[in-house]
């Protein structure tokens, strides 16, 4: 959820709650004040009638539609009663709510009943009109405030959105100073300056790390190549004992492993630094067929058979070198963990590539994709293949999964 929507929604909820509380309170308060004013007016009329009764008879009080009735009473008790009651009006042929004051009083020693009634329809109409007017004004005010708040917030947050957009496109290997939209907001200005300083430090650290990695790799390649060359020359000398030959072979194996390790670590560093920006459309089916041809010789050495289900295909956009490494590492891992005569299955299903091979026990999932964590005692493995595959999947936001089902190692790559 965007911040502007998050804030605006809370303003809206708060305003609606206040509106739901305020309008009924206003309505009943106004109704109470109107009834109070009406009751006071009728009480004034009652007082005036009592004064007039001292000098005149009840028949002299004539009112329209019997709104005032004064007549002798059989009740000698003095009391006043105020209530609301619907009254039928013959001339209008309708029933209208009235406010009624019923008073029993004694004037000149004689009891009288005074009944004063006043229609509440005018007050109700006035009350409803005021309520509707208030509701319209509140809605207009609320709508206007929300529009102003949204537009103002959108304008105020524009520098922040610009910073986020440029950070999404930021590449540490691109030597370009980011320029953000100028703003008078102190917080956004400080944020922009802090990010500029962070970018400069990251670029400097990246440059140092890149130079160190390249120099280290280059400097290591030369002595490793010299060592391998000297070992080969040493193997050609004579006489040579069996013990010496075994030692020389161990040195050669270690040199080859060191050379592979150097190349792999350099490749991992390049992947982590996103140094493979070139991408193109790739058909996974074509990649698999090419890799099967490359791994034909090691597969024949272990008499391994391939079972392929490549009727479907997946098209992705990525760096072809990295995709070859990603799928190739899993295929070589399947060959390494398979016994002689095993069957390796390769299947493409929707957006998923599944590679499985028979196995006796489950691999340790906690250490499966960790660096230098080998699941086998095979000396040819350097423990970086699956970790590299994991890094490639993270780079392109793919998912790599491992399951052990029916004595089968099952690796899945989900291409989003």
């Amino acid at each position: 959820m965007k911040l502007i929507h998050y804030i605006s929604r809370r303003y809206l909820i708060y305003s609606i709650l206040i509106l739901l509380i305020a309008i009924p309170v206003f309505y009943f308060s106004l109704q109470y004040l109107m009834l109070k004013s009406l009751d006071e007016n009728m009480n004034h009329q009652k007082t005036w009638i009592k004064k007039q009764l001292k000098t005149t008879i009840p028949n002299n009080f004539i009112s329209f539609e019997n709104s005032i009735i004064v007549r002798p009473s059989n009740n000698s008790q003095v009391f006043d009663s105020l209530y609301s009651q619907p009254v039928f009006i013959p001339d209008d042929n309708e029933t209208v709510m009235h406010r009624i004051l019923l008073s029993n009083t004694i004037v000149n020693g004689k009891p009288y009943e005074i009944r004063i009634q006043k229609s509440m329809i005018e007050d109700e109409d006035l009350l409803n009109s005021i309520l509707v007017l208030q509701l319209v004004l509140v809605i207009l005010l609320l709508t206007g405030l929300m529009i102003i708040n949204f537009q103002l917030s959108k304008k105020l947050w524009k520098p922040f959105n610009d910073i986020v957009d440029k950070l999404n496109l930021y590449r540490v290997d691109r030597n370009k100073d980011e320029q953000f939209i100028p703003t008078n907001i102190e917080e956004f200005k400080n944020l922009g300056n802090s990010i500029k300083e962070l970018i400069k430090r990251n670029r400097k650290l990246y440059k140092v790390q890149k130079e160190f990695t390249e120099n280290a790799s280059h400097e290591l390649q030369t002595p490793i190549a010299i060592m391998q060359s000297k070992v080969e020359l040493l193997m050609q000398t004579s006489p040579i004992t069996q013990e010496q030959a075994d030692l020389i072979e161990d040195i050669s194996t270690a040199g080859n492993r060191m050379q592979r390790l150097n190349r792999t670590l350099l490749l991992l560093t390049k992947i982590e630094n996103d140094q493979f920006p070139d991408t193109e459309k790739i058909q996974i089916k074509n990649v698999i067929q090419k890799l099967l041809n490359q791994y034909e010789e090691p597969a024949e050495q272990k008499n391994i058979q391939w079972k392929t289900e490549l009727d479907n295909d997946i098209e992705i956009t990525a760096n072809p070198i990295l995709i070859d490494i990603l799928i190739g590492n899993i295929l070589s891992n399947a060959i390494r963990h398979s016994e002689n005569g095993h069957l390796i299955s390769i299947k493409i299903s929707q957006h998923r590539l599944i590679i499985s091979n028979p196995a006796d026990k489950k691999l340790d999932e906690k250490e499966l994709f960790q660096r230098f964590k080998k699941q086998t005692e095979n000396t040819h493995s350097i423990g970086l293949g699956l970790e590299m595959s994991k890094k490639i999947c993270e780079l392109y936001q793919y998912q790599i999964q491992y399951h052990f089902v029916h004595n089968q190692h099952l690796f899945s790559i989900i291409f989003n």
Side-chain angles (χ1 to χ4, degrees):
M1 179 185 294
K2 291 187 177 179
L3 183 60
I4 185 172
H5 295 156
Y6 184 86
I7 296 174
S8 298
R9 190 171 71 173
R10 274 147 182 78
Y11 281 148
L12 183 62
I13 293 173
Y14 175 76
S15 301
I16 290 174
L17 288 175
I18 293 298
L19 195 63
L20 292 175
I21 296 172
I23 288 180
V25 170
F26 174 78
Y27 175 81
F28 289 114
S29 299
L30 195 58
Q31 187 182 54
Y32 169 77
L33 292 174
M34 286 185 171
L35 287 176
K36 184 178 179 182
S37 175
L38 195 60
D39 293 345
E40 288 178 354
N41 187 24
M42 289 192 295
N43 276 313
H44 289 319
Q45 284 185 316
K46 181 198 72 171
T47 303
W48 179 82
I49 291 171
K50 288 173 65 176
K51 288 180 181 180
Q52 295 299 316
L53 282 174
K54 293 178 180 181
T55 59
T56 185
I57 61 175
N59 293 336
N60 290 337
F61 292 95
I62 301 173
S63 62
F64 176 70
E65 292 183 345
N66 296 322
S67 61
I68 299 176
I69 299 174
V70 180
R71 58 192 174 191
S73 173
N74 296 324
N75 193 346
S76 60
Q77 292 183 353
V78 177
F79 64 86
D80 288 336
S81 177
L82 280 167
Y83 57 92
S84 299
Q85 178 179 310
V87 176
F88 180 73
I89 307 300
D91 291 342
D92 296 333
N93 194 26
E94 64 176 347
T95 301
V96 177
M97 185 63 71
H98 281 65
R99 189 68 171 170
I100 297 173
L101 169 61
L102 185 62
S103 175
N104 205 77
T105 186
I106 297 176
V107 179
N108 295 331
K110 296 180 180 180
Y112 292 95
E113 181 185 88
I114 302 173
R115 188 179 191 273
I116 303 173
Q117 65 180 32
K118 286 198 174 183
S119 172
M120 296 174 60
I121 189 170
E122 293 180 0
D123 292 338
E124 288 291 338
D125 290 342
L126 178 62
L127 184 62
N128 291 333
S129 298
I130 293 174
L131 187 65
V132 170
L133 180 62
Q134 186 204 30
L135 187 60
V136 171
L137 289 176
V138 169
I139 291 175
L140 288 175
L141 179 64
L142 184 61
T143 304
L145 286 174
M146 292 301 298
I147 293 174
I148 292 172
N149 175 67
F150 184 81
Q151 294 297 330
L152 186 61
S153 298
K154 189 176 181 181
K155 183 178 179 181
L156 288 175
W157 286 95
K158 189 174 181 180
F160 177 80
N161 293 329
D162 176 66
I163 293 173
V164 173
D165 292 339
K166 288 182 178 176
L167 284 179
N168 288 332
L169 300 174
Y170 169 71
R171 286 180 55 87
V172 70
D173 59 338
R174 185 174 57 189
N175 192 15
K176 178 183 176 183
D177 293 331
E178 300 293 344
Q179 298 296 328
F180 304 126
I181 294 178
T183 176
N184 295 324
I185 307 299
E186 192 68 25
E187 289 80 5
F188 293 157
K189 191 183 295 184
N190 292 337
L191 177 63
N193 293 334
S194 299
I195 290 176
K196 286 181 181 179
E197 291 298 321
L198 180 63
I199 289 174
K200 288 180 181 179
R201 289 197 297 269
N202 283 348
R203 187 178 294 125
K204 183 178 179 181
L205 290 173
Y206 166 76
K207 186 176 180 181
V208 171
Q209 181 185 12
K210 182 173 179 289
E211 289 177 352
F212 171 79
T213 305
E214 291 175 348
N215 292 338
S217 176
H218 178 74
E219 294 300 327
L220 280 173
Q221 284 178 357
T222 301
I224 290 174
I226 293 174
M227 183 182 70
Q228 289 291 94
S229 176
K230 296 298 183 181
V231 168
E232 290 176 0
L233 290 175
L234 185 60
M235 293 178 68
Q236 296 174 7
T237 59
S238 59
I240 186 171
T241 66
Q242 182 63 39
E243 182 180 3
Q244 291 173 331
D246 292 339
L247 291 174
I248 293 172
E249 184 179 0
D250 291 342
I251 295 174
S252 178
T253 302
N256 289 331
R257 188 171 184 275
M258 188 182 299
Q259 194 170 30
R260 293 201 316 275
L261 182 62
N262 181 55
R263 288 197 304 265
T264 305
L265 287 174
L266 178 62
L267 184 59
L268 265 175
T269 303
K270 288 183 176 181
I271 293 172
E272 291 173 345
N273 292 333
D274 195 12
Q275 290 182 247
F276 292 89
D278 298 330
T279 60
E280 61 184 60
K281 291 188 180 299
I282 301 172
Q283 305 291 332
I284 297 299
K285 182 178 179 179
N286 295 338
V287 175
I288 292 173
Q289 290 173 341
K290 180 179 68 175
L291 290 173
L292 290 180
N293 292 331
Q294 293 178 5
Y295 287 110
E296 184 176 355
E297 182 178 346
E300 287 180 351
Q301 291 176 358
K302 301 180 73 173
N303 194 26
I304 289 175
Q305 302 296 318
W306 304 106
K307 178 185 177 183
T308 58
E309 297 181 36
L310 307 179
D311 297 333
N312 299 319
D313 198 5
I314 304 172
E315 184 179 82
I316 60 172
T317 300
N319 185 280
I321 297 175
L322 295 185
I323 299 303
D324 285 352
I325 295 172
L326 168 62
I327 300 176
N329 282 342
I330 298 178
L331 282 175
S332 63
N333 192 67
I335 295 173
R336 189 178 302 116
H337 287 84
S338 296
E339 300 295 336
N340 291 335
H342 277 176
L343 179 69
I344 296 178
S345 174
I346 305 170
K347 180 181 178 181
I348 295 178
S349 174
Q350 295 181 347
H351 295 286
R352 185 188 300 260
L353 170 64
I354 303 171
I355 299 175
S356 60
N357 62 285
D360 295 329
K361 63 178 182 178
K362 182 179 180 180
L363 300 177
D364 187 352
E365 295 184 51
K366 294 181 179 179
E367 298 183 350
L368 187 60
F369 298 105
Q370 293 185 19
R371 188 170 299 189
F372 299 121
K373 298 292 184 179
K374 297 194 293 183
Q375 302 288 325
T376 176
E377 299 300 326
N378 192 329
T379 56
H380 295 288
S381 172
I382 58 177
L384 289 174
L386 290 178
E387 201 264 349
M388 188 182 301
S389 297
K390 180 74 171 178
K391 290 292 183 183
I392 296 172
C393 287
E394 290 176 353
L395 176 66
Y396 291 115
Q397 297 181 346
Y398 302 152
Q399 296 181 49
I400 183 169
Q401 299 175 346
Y402 166 76
H403 299 284
F404 186 71
V405 181
H406 302 306
N407 290 330
Q408 292 270 334
H409 291 317
L410 194 148
F411 285 89
S412 301
I413 303 174
I414 303 172
F415 301 92
N416 298 326

